[in-house]
Amino acid sequence: NAGVTQTPKFQVLKTGQSMTLQCAQDMNHNSMYWYRQDPGMGLRLIYYSASEGTTDKGEVPNGYNVSRLNKREFSLRLESAAPSQTSVYFCASGGRFYGYTFGSGTRLTVV
Amino acid sequence: AQSVTQLGSHVSVSEGALVLLRCNYSSSVPPYLFWYVQYPNQGLQLLLKYTSAATLVKGINGFEAEFKKSETSFHLTKPSAHMSDAAEYFCAVEMDSSYKLIFGSGTRLLVRP
C-alpha cells in the first residue's frame, strides 16, 4: 500500500546516545516533514524539506539534524539524546493540495 | 507568526448529539486549513481540507467544516456523534508558500453512550 513508512516503531535510548529515525514515502511527493508529538502540545514541526536537496528548520529544531537522502527518504538524527527528547515522532509527506500523509510514528524514550 | 488555536482540550457529547470542535487561526491572508483525526496509538488521518474553493468542506465519516474569513475560523461539525468518533482531533494550517503545516494543540472528543 502507498504511504509513509517509519522505522523503528519503538526505541529506548540512554542519555547521550545517538540514533537515526528513518522515513520513506512512495507517493512521489516533493515535500517531507518531521514532527514530534507531546501531550497537550499537538504536533510541533522539527524540520522539513520542501524538495529534494533542501531542508529547513521548523518550530523546534534544536538537538536534531536531518538528511534528505533522495526524493523518497528523509531521516532524522539525534546526535546526543536527552530526556527532553522523549516523544512520539511522526514523519509526513505531501502538501496543501494533496493533503499530508503521516507515518504510524516512532515512540522514543530517553532514560 | 501564524498560529492555530483549538478551544477546549476536551469535549464530551452524548451519542447522537451534535459535535462541534472549534478552530481559529491568526492570519491576514486566508491559509490552507486541515482537520486530522488520531485514534489511540495511531498516526494521523486526514478528515478534510480547505484550499480556497467552497467554504463548506465535506470530509470523511460525516464530518464537515466551514471556513469563515470574517471570524478566522474553521470549526469542525458532525450532526450526530457515534461512539467510534471518540478520538483526538487536530486543526492545522499552512500559509501560502510556506510549505509548513502548523498544528493546534488538539481536542479530545469523548462520546458518552
Side-chain angles (χ1 to χ4, degrees):
Chain A
N1 292 335
V4 178
T5 302
Q6 291 182 236
T7 56
K9 293 189 182 303
F10 300 94
Q11 184 71 49
V12 179
L13 290 179
K14 293 182 179 179
T15 297
Q17 286 186 318
S18 63
M19 78 162 294
T20 300
L21 282 64
Q22 306 287 353
C23 175
Q25 54 96 4
D26 58 6
M27 295 170 287
N28 203 36
H29 289 157
N30 288 321
S31 301
M32 297 185 73
Y33 307 82
W34 276 106
Y35 289 88
R36 60 178 289 173
Q37 183 178 25
D38 303 291
M41 303 187 74
L43 280 80
R44 292 180 293 169
L45 182 63
I46 304 172
Y47 270 94
Y48 67 103
S49 171
S51 62
E52 187 178 354
T54 68
T55 61
D56 286 285
K57 295 178 180 180
E59 302 167 278
V60 288
N62 292 343
Y64 305 95
N65 286 299
V66 291
S67 295
R68 183 74 183 268
L69 304 172
N70 48 56
K71 191 170 187 178
R72 290 187 64 248
E73 299 173 286
F74 188 39
S75 63
L76 178 71
R77 183 161 178 84
L78 287 70
E79 291 291 352
S80 179
S84 61
Q85 295 178 304
T86 293
S87 187
V88 181
Y89 291 85
F90 288 99
C91 178
S93 72
R96 65 181 74 114
F97 297 114
Y98 320 112
Y100 295 74
T101 301
F102 285 80
S104 57
T106 296
R107 189 173 296 272
L108 175 66
T109 301
V110 183
V111 297
Chain B
Q2 67 192 60
S3 70
V4 182
T5 303
Q6 291 185 241
L7 292 175
S9 58
H10 293 79
V11 170
S12 179
V13 300
S14 298
E15 190 173 20
L18 171 71
V19 175
L20 171 60
L21 304 181
R22 301 178 185 275
C23 174
N24 289 87
Y25 65 91
S26 60
S27 171
S28 59
V29 177
Y32 296 87
L33 295 155
F34 304 80
W35 275 100
Y36 281 84
V37 60
Q38 184 180 36
Y39 298 100
N41 299 314
Q42 294 189 23
L44 279 77
Q45 180 182 8
L46 179 65
L47 275 177
L48 51 80
K49 64 182 187 289
Y50 168 76
T51 56
S52 76
T55 56
L56 182 62
V57 182
K58 294 187 183 298
I60 62 172
N61 302 340
F63 284 93
E64 62 182 36
E66 185 173 8
F67 172 71
K68 291 187 177 180
K69 182 179 177 180
S70 61
E71 299 177 7
T72 60
S73 68
F74 190 57
H75 301 333
L76 182 71
T77 61
K78 182 173 181 178
S80 177
H82 192 273
M83 296 298 290
S84 61
D85 294 327
E88 190 155 21
Y89 292 80
F90 293 95
C91 182
V93 59
E94 183 192 327
M95 295 298 297
D96 190 33
S97 77
S98 75
Y99 297 103
K100 294 191 293 185
L101 186 66
I102 304 300
F103 282 84
S105 56
T107 297
R108 187 169 298 277
L109 177 66
L110 172 67
V111 182
R112 304 185 304 271

